[in-house]
């Protein structure tokens, strides 16, 4: 199955757009591909693991962008309001690493939702986090979750 280009799902642009593409989506879950390039947050070819939270947030954004497209809405931003849980299993990421970034909505309504995210490198868990995200209600500037 093919998915829209990531630029059509996220309001991000270079150098803050990290994800390359949606590789799989079903219901409240998504998997995106990311190849680390020498861009923002890269120092000496390395990326600190905490940046993986942004990658997971972008996967959440891509998932919500697919929700928005389904109801013929322009993708709207969400606001990460909490990271109640995070774990990093690697010391660093490297330029050139190919990563799978997963996100799954675990609960929520049209304004507040919680997502479980994880980043895998070579099929192994590299980072995981729980992200709480807020969006305005549909009809207000910014909209809500479906």
């Amino acid at each position: 199955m093919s998915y829209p280009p990531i630029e059509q799902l996220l309001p991000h642009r270079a150098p803050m757009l990290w994800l390359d593409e949606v590789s799989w989506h079903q219901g409240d879950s998504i998997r995106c591909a990311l190849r680390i390039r020498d861009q923002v947050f890269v120092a000496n070819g390395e990326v600190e693991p905490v940046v993986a939270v942004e990658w997971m947030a972008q996967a959440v954004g891509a998932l919500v962008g697919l929700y928005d497209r389904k109801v013929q809405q322009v993708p709207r931003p969400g606001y990460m309001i909490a990271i109640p849980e995070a774990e990093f299993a690697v010391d660093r990421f490297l330029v050139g690493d190919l990563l799978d970034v997963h996100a799954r909505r675990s609960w929520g309504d049209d304004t507040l939702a919680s997502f479980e995210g994880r980043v895998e490198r070579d099929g192994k868990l590299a980072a995981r986090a729980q992200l709480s995200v807020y969006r305005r209600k549909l009809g207000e500037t910014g909209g809500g979750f479906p």
Side-chain angles (χ1 to χ4, degrees):
M1 173 172 219
S2 71
Y3 300 99
I6 203 72
E7 297 84 1
Q8 292 179 14
L9 301 175
L10 292 171
H12 297 69
R13 297 296 173 258
M16 287 304 297
L17 179 62
W18 284 84
L19 300 180
D20 296 320
E21 65 183 1
V22 173
S23 49
W24 176 85
H25 167 253
Q26 185 175 33
D28 284 341
S29 298
I30 193 167
R31 181 178 67 234
C32 299
L34 179 163
R35 179 161 313 268
I36 299 178
R37 293 170 188 68
D38 193 5
Q39 61 189 62
V40 67
F41 301 127
V42 175
N44 301 316
E46 298 180 354
V47 179
E48 294 289 327
V50 71
V51 177
V53 171
E54 173 61 22
W55 304 334
M56 290 180 263
Q58 287 192 23
V60 167
L63 177 62
V64 173
L66 288 171
Y67 292 156
D68 288 342
R69 287 178 63 88
K70 188 175 182 178
V71 294
Q72 300 176 352
Q73 296 283 331
V74 174
R76 300 164 312 246
Y79 305 94
M80 189 166 31
I81 59 171
I83 307 166
E85 196 175 310
E87 177 183 332
F88 306 99
V90 300
D91 294 331
R92 66 185 176 276
F93 294 97
L94 302 173
V95 169
D97 281 351
L98 180 59
L99 308 174
D100 287 314
V101 184
H102 301 254
R104 182 181 66 82
R105 183 167 64 165
S106 51
W107 63 264
D109 59 23
D110 64 347
T111 59
L112 182 64
S114 179
F115 296 85
E116 295 177 15
R118 73 180 191 277
V119 176
E120 295 176 353
R121 179 171 60 189
D122 298 324
K124 296 178 183 163
L125 181 69
R128 67 170 199 81
Q130 182 182 356
L131 309 174
S132 298
V133 179
Y134 168 78
R135 291 197 335 161
R136 293 180 185 100
K137 290 183 182 180
L138 284 171
E140 294 179 351
T141 304
F145 296 109

